[in-house]
Amino acid sequence: METNQISEENLLENLSFEKFRQEVLKDYKVVCESRETSLLSRKEVLTGKAKFGIFGDGKEVAQVAMAKFFMPGDFRAGYYRDQTFMFATGMATVEQFFSQLYADPDLNNDPFSAGRQMNAHFATRFVDENGNWLDLAHKKNISSDMAPTAAQMPRALGLAFASKVFREVEVLHQFDNLSNNGNEVCFCTIGDASTSEGPFWEAMNAAGVLQIPLAVFVWDDGYGISVPKEYQTTKGSISKALSGLQKKDGTNGINIYKLKGWDYAGMCEILDEAIKNIRETHTPALFHVEEMTQPQGHSTSGSHERYKSPSRLAWEKEWDCKRQMRDWILANSLADENELNDIEDNAKYFVKESKQKAWEKYINPIKKQVEKTITLLKKVADDNHEIQQCIKDLSSLREPVRRDVMKTLASAIDLASSNDNIQEVKNYYEELLKENKELFDSDLYNEGAKSALKVKPVPAHFHEDAELVNGFEILNRYFDELFAHNKKVIAFGEDLGHIGDVNQGFSGLQDKYGEERIFDTGIRENTIMGQGIGCALRGLRPIAEIQYLDYLLFGLEPLSDDVATTHFRTKGQQSVPLIVRTRGHRLEGIWHSGSPMGMIINSLRGMYVCVPRNMTQAVGMYNTLLESNDPALMIECLNGYRLKEKLPSNLIDFKVALGMPETIKEGTDITIVSYGSMLRIIQEAAETLDKLNISCEIVDVQTLLPFDLNHSILNSLKKTNRILFIDEDVPGGAAAFMFNKVMEEQGGYRWLDVAPRTLTAKDHRPSYGSDGDYFSKPNSEDVIRIAKEMMAE
Ligand SMILES: Cc1ncc(C[n+]2csc(CCOP(=O)(O)OP(=O)(O)O)c2C)c(N)n1
Ligand SMILES: [Mg+2]
């Protein structure tokens, strides 16, 4: 009996040892495959088959450890060193890695970016083809990687913050496809040198305040390209520098762990406990993973022998994590030399084969285009030597790209323009133009059912005795209805919660809907945007506030780099329906009356930019945006909150179509195009001009992005033959944008009797006080003077 029992225990022990052994060897296999991928990829770049490469060699072991604790529902926001993590979690294959290296534009081959991103920029699908959120709570999720160092930080904060929202907001518990009681951890990775960036510090502080499930891994290889960490970080150590954030009993803060990047067993042990704790308690953590290496240097551009000392290079060889893991396996008798050699040989073979498959998938469609082009060109060649040369040149290319095909076809069309068979060449050229447009130029915005441009407009209704109320009250009543109506909406920003924003749009609503849905944030525009991005990516409908338009610059980077590119860089696999609410245009002084619209529309292609003239129009635009998946910036008129407006009776249903200007005064002599606060000044001027027998037609463009989709401004111009574009931006800013749209895109120049004009603010920011405003920004006398000049011309 007793002996039997012992042998059963032995058996169990043996079994669990074997399981453990197999798991270690499986991890080692991933490490080897990942290393081979780095080595072979570098060769592909050096031989010219790929343009640039950046790899995860030297970081493999930490990533197989980290991958063990990444559960379905979790998110990663990281950077370009994480291929091993992707392989270990099964979210990427080696073949897919190579497809992206070759910039294969087929989403089936590069499922992260359809060739739109540099290699090692990963993503998983968040929304289906119709823009509906997938079951993210049961999937492993990668928010699309970006190249700017630390740009993942604001979004990482937001992805983790969303877990807190899902856990704390009861009305969200029903959405179990989006979250499982907020148990999802966001794994964030960043390089040691990138922790020098402001957004890193802002995010770490905010995480400590917010108490959210964020796990930040710093891959510390001692360098940011050539600059060592002594030049990057106080005390040369990010864990030391951040030690003041350490959580203690009874405080908030973060937990800080130090790990060694080659210590497989040590890392697994610490991460097991630490990640569990993050998941349960929502206490964020920093994992400072030291002693990592770069066997091949930073990237395929340049070599690290130029800046690393011989002793550093020797140290890196010895402490290479792959070598250390191998030694550890042998020392602990988990496998013998032969078994490890087999794993290594198989990895080499597997990676080579994967590379070859990816290359064939990439090159075959192009080769087909080359073949067809040559066939068509032969039909028009006759004895045209130049075309024969084109055929020769194209056939001789060993690694042709689509560009070569297009250039050849374009030349042939010119060279054989009179040939009877040229039409076929032209047709093929057009067909490929269309195909390439879809491959390289699509999906900047939602194009399907969730496009904001497909939302049906609904006019505002007013009762006969509709109340006249302050602008802010229109918004206040609207937000009240909105929060009752749409459980996924949350709103936050500086002073937005307790006092209900600086202009009372949310006044009283925190009491009614709870601190979990309407709340204050610290003064940190970059990460307020990040909170919005993370929540939007996870299927919520955040309204994130920038207190004044002038402070948008602090939050512009995540909007421009991240939000505006998300849909494009994932070819529609991720949507970020964030609404950024702010207020701007005229008020007082250099930093409270800005209207830098040119800067905004040029940096935010991929977002919509709404510039409503009053709060009623703003409501109609909010409703439209909330029906769609497109992200947008809403700029309310800072001086409009106390102006009276008629209260519509259908606040929650009223929808303004984007890109549809509205004529707010009809006229016959001059078309004046503008938006926002400027319109009231133009209306005032128009009254005077009426008395002078100059009849102005005033057009409110309503949205700058998109701009006048139906070319309605042209119809006004056809009637008046004179046009003036006015705004409060600098010369050459958004007024020049509108000018370009109407003159070039709409062909407005054909309908002009006199030169078209712009009227803008001065080059400098507005001086303070009433006179500062009057002499810095366009005023009604300016409008009258220019209108008179145009009439006299
Ligand atoms: C905002 C920004 N500045 C500069 C760069 C160029 N750059 C790319 S990687 C890099 C170094 C990053 O070093 P580190 O964070 O330590 O990561 P590692 O590459 O060492 O893993 C730099 C300066 C960039 N991508 N983004
Ligand atoms: Mg580094």
Side-chain angles (χ1 to χ4, degrees):
M1 207 47 202
E2 214 164 69
T3 46
N4 210 354
Q5 182 111 28
I6 289 169
S7 74
E8 247 175 51
E9 262 173 26
N10 266 347
L11 190 71
L12 281 176
E13 215 169 83
N14 279 343
L15 267 179
S16 68
F17 174 77
E18 183 55 23
K19 225 176 117 193
F20 167 71
R21 193 184 87 89
Q22 287 302 338
E23 178 138 349
V24 171
L25 293 186
K26 201 181 84 200
D27 283 345
Y28 185 64
K29 172 173 170 270
V30 174
V31 167
C32 292
E33 288 173 357
S34 182
R35 179 63 61 91
E36 286 306 320
T37 301
S38 301
L39 299 175
L40 203 52
S41 294
R42 185 178 173 85
K43 284 195 190 130
E44 291 301 276
V45 177
L46 301 184
T47 58
K49 276 161 90 182
K51 298 201 92 166
F52 170 78
I54 193 148
F55 311 114
D57 45 319
K59 318 282 188 292
E60 294 95 340
V61 173
Q63 292 181 25
V64 291
M66 167 187 168
K68 290 183 189 302
F69 308 101
F70 190 75
M71 294 294 134
D74 286 346
F75 285 79
R76 169 186 158 282
Y79 81 119
Y80 49 77
R81 295 280 182 222
D82 292 348
Q83 71 200 44
T84 316
F85 174 77
M86 294 300 295
F87 299 150
T89 50
M91 288 187 289
T93 65
V94 172
E95 186 185 316
Q96 290 166 342
F97 183 89
F98 278 101
S99 292
Q100 192 180 41
L101 186 76
Y102 298 135
D104 189 329
D106 187 337
L107 194 59
N108 295 310
N109 302 338
D110 164 12
F112 321 120
S113 69
R116 291 176 180 197
Q117 291 232 65
M118 277 181 170
N119 83 300
H121 287 62
F122 303 105
T124 54
R125 190 178 264 287
F126 287 6
V127 292
D128 69 17
E129 255 102 38
N130 300 315
N132 300 309
W133 258 256
L134 299 175
D135 189 2
L136 301 188
H138 301 95
K139 274 169 89 271
K140 295 178 179 177
N141 305 295
I142 303 293
S143 65
S144 165
D145 291 338
M146 293 161 61
T149 49
Q152 67 273 39
M153 294 308 301
R155 180 181 66 228
L157 182 88
L159 289 166
F161 173 73
S163 287
K164 177 175 166 130
V165 175
F166 280 116
R167 189 175 280 185
E168 291 184 353
V169 177
E170 247 183 73
V171 291
L172 291 175
H173 290 172
Q174 56 185 301
F175 301 110
D176 54 10
N177 64 321
L178 299 178
S179 173
N180 173 18
N181 190 35
N183 287 338
E184 304 78 23
V185 175
C186 177
F187 289 56
C188 170
T189 64
I190 184 166
D192 55 312
S194 301
T195 65
S196 306
E197 295 277 14
F200 173 81
W201 293 84
E202 191 176 312
M204 294 313 293
N205 174 58
V209 170
L210 290 169
Q211 295 296 283
I212 52 174
L214 179 65
V216 178
F217 293 80
V218 178
W219 301 147
D220 186 350
D221 58 16
Y223 289 84
I225 309 184
S226 67
V227 182
K229 65 179 169 188
E230 288 66 36
Y231 292 168
Q232 303 278 1
T233 312
T234 300
K235 302 181 186 176
S237 161
I238 195 60
S239 48
K240 276 189 198 157
L242 282 179
S243 60
L245 298 188
Q246 174 66 53
K247 183 181 168 81
K248 305 218 167 101
D249 274 352
T251 74
N252 59 15
I254 67 173
N255 286 319
I256 298 176
Y257 303 87
K258 276 182 160 202
L259 294 79
K260 306 267 183 236
W262 44 263
D263 178 11
Y264 175 75
M267 283 189 288
C268 290
E269 197 182 319
I270 291 180
L271 289 177
D272 188 12
E273 273 305 304
I275 301 289
K276 230 181 262 160
N277 185 56
I278 297 172
R279 205 178 291 287
E280 278 163 23
T281 66
H282 279 194
T283 306
L286 175 89
F287 298 97
H288 184 194
V289 186
E290 296 178 286
E291 300 185 21
M292 289 186 139
T293 66
Q294 299 174 320
Q296 301 189 107
H298 175 78
S299 72
T300 52
S301 320
S303 82
H304 58 154
E305 285 81 8
R306 275 194 303 150
Y307 49 80
K308 284 181 188 163
S309 66
S311 67
R312 169 77 197 186
L313 290 166
W315 178 88
E316 287 200 17
K317 269 213 165 71
E318 189 180 345
W319 292 95
D320 178 331
C321 62
K322 177 173 168 254
R323 178 173 166 181
Q324 290 290 332
M325 185 173 181
R326 190 181 206 280
D327 289 350
W328 176 82
I329 292 172
L330 291 172
N332 288 281
S333 307
L334 297 171
D336 60 17
E337 280 281 350
N338 285 340
E339 205 170 350
L340 295 184
N341 288 344
D342 276 353
I343 292 175
E344 288 154 11
D345 290 345
N346 287 340
K348 272 201 186 90
Y349 177 77
F350 168 72
V351 170
K352 214 166 149 185
E353 214 182 36
S354 300
K355 181 211 77 164
Q356 199 50 33
K357 279 189 201 152
W359 175 255
E360 269 154 31
K361 283 185 180 172
Y362 162 74
I363 201 73
N364 284 345
I366 302 178
K367 282 194 170 154
K368 276 198 186 126
Q369 290 185 8
V370 168
E371 271 166 38
K372 179 153 181 191
T373 300
I374 289 172
T375 310
L376 290 175
L377 258 56
K378 280 184 179 159
K379 290 194 198 172
V380 298
D382 298 333
D383 27 277
N384 185 329
H385 292 303
E386 282 172 302
I387 296 214
Q388 281 161 359
Q389 191 58 44
C390 282
I391 294 173
K392 245 194 208 154
D393 291 345
L394 188 62
S395 341
S396 68
L397 291 175
R398 281 188 51 211
E399 282 133 26
V401 292
R402 287 174 169 78
R403 180 183 61 187
D404 300 317
V405 173
M406 299 309 282
K407 279 172 163 289
T408 306
L409 287 168
S411 305
I413 289 167
D414 287 341
L415 293 169
S417 57
S418 53
N419 189 293
D420 291 344
N421 293 324
I422 198 64
Q423 192 55 42
E424 241 186 304
V425 180
K426 285 184 180 167
N427 291 348
Y428 189 49
Y429 183 73
E430 291 301 319
E431 183 190 317
L432 289 185
L433 271 184
K434 217 169 126 195
E435 185 181 311
N436 287 320
K437 187 173 160 57
E438 200 280 322
L439 291 179
F440 299 100
D441 194 21
S442 68
D443 297 286
L444 180 58
Y445 296 91
N446 281 271
E447 294 173 0
K450 291 291 181 179
S451 161
L453 307 185
K454 296 204 170 140
V455 176
K456 278 220 172 76
V458 176
H461 294 305
F462 299 94
H463 289 307
E464 244 170 61
D465 52 353
E467 256 181 285
L468 260 187
V469 299
N470 289 311
F472 79 85
E473 290 171 284
I474 301 252
L475 289 171
N476 190 245
R477 293 192 202 194
Y478 166 66
F479 288 137
D480 192 353
E481 287 188 35
L482 176 64
F483 272 73
H485 176 83
N486 189 338
K487 313 284 182 242
K488 288 182 179 166
V489 178
I490 56 173
F492 48 90
E494 297 154 16
D495 305 288
L496 186 141
H498 188 57
I499 65 166
D501 92 41
V502 285
N503 295 92
Q504 293 170 262
F506 282 94
S507 180
L509 299 184
Q510 186 181 64
D511 282 345
K512 194 161 172 186
Y513 295 100
E515 248 188 276
E516 299 76 27
R517 290 183 72 195
I518 297 173
F519 49 92
D520 289 320
T521 65
I523 306 177
R524 44 176 180 76
E525 288 77 11
N526 179 281
T527 47
I528 293 173
M529 296 300 95
Q531 274 173 274
I533 297 167
C535 290
L537 283 171
R538 291 187 61 178
L540 294 171
R541 302 301 313 220
I543 299 175
E545 191 170 295
I546 296 281
Q547 196 160 69
Y548 297 100
L549 183 57
D550 300 79
Y551 307 126
L552 178 70
L553 272 172
F554 278 64
L556 192 61
E557 185 278 324
L559 296 182
S560 181
D561 283 326
D562 199 349
V563 176
T565 67
T566 296
H567 199 261
F568 174 78
R569 74 184 198 266
T570 61
K571 203 164 191 247
Q573 299 183 97
Q574 293 181 6
S575 272
V576 52
L578 167 66
I579 297 178
V580 178
R581 177 186 185 223
T582 188
R583 46 192 72 85
H585 314 314
R586 281 183 191 245
L587 201 71
E588 288 293 344
I590 294 180
W591 284 286
H592 295 87
S593 56
S595 194
M597 298 310 305
M599 172 189 86
I600 289 168
I601 58 179
N602 287 331
S603 57
L604 297 184
R605 304 296 162 95
M607 290 181 74
Y608 289 129
V609 176
C610 302
V611 281
R613 66 182 175 275
N614 59 31
M615 304 310 157
T616 306
Q617 292 307 101
V619 166
M621 294 176 197
Y622 279 121
N623 281 329
T624 300
L625 293 169
L626 286 163
E627 287 247 312
S628 89
N629 280 353
D630 287 314
L633 174 66
M634 177 77 68
I635 299 163
E636 295 166 9
C637 294
L638 189 40
N639 60 5
Y641 293 110
R642 299 219 162 251
L643 299 176
K644 300 286 182 207
E645 296 182 30
K646 254 200 308 183
L647 181 70
S649 58
N650 60 338
L651 278 172
I652 201 71
D653 297 318
F654 160 49
K655 292 185 195 82
V656 170
L658 306 189
M660 300 295 151
E662 209 172 278
T663 302
I664 56 171
K665 176 187 177 301
E666 301 218 355
T668 52
D669 293 328
I670 300 183
T671 299
I672 300 181
V673 181
S674 190
Y675 56 87
S677 297
M678 197 58 225
L679 287 166
R680 276 190 298 280
I681 290 165
I682 296 167
Q683 279 172 305
E684 184 190 312
E687 281 174 29
T688 308
L689 285 165
D690 270 338
K691 288 178 198 145
L692 301 172
N693 276 330
I694 299 176
S695 160
C696 300
E697 177 139 310
I698 305 175
V699 181
D700 173 8
V701 303
Q702 304 214 83
T703 59
L704 284 166
L705 298 177
F707 185 85
D708 190 10
L709 293 169
N710 293 341
H711 294 189
S712 68
I713 296 171
L714 191 66
N715 291 334
S716 175
L717 180 56
K718 283 180 185 172
K719 184 167 68 173
T720 62
N721 309 112
R722 294 180 189 86
I723 193 161
L724 170 61
F725 300 91
I726 306 182
D727 74 359
E728 303 176 32
D729 198 358
V730 292
F737 168 79
M738 299 193 288
F739 183 102
N740 168 262
K741 283 278 181 187
V742 177
M743 287 303 125
E744 185 180 340
E745 209 174 284
Q746 303 188 7
Y749 68 93
R750 283 172 291 171
W751 302 91
L752 293 172
D753 280 352
V754 304
R757 300 275 295 261
T758 60
L759 169 60
T760 67
K762 301 292 191 298
D763 278 312
H764 54 78
R765 307 256 186 128
S767 300
Y768 187 56
S770 301
D771 283 344
D773 171 74
Y774 185 84
F775 292 105
S776 303
K777 293 240 177 176
N779 56 52
S780 69
E781 286 66 37
D782 292 331
V783 178
I784 293 164
R785 175 176 47 82
I786 291 187
K788 284 203 272 188
E789 283 171 14
M790 289 175 78
M791 292 307 289
E793 196 176 316

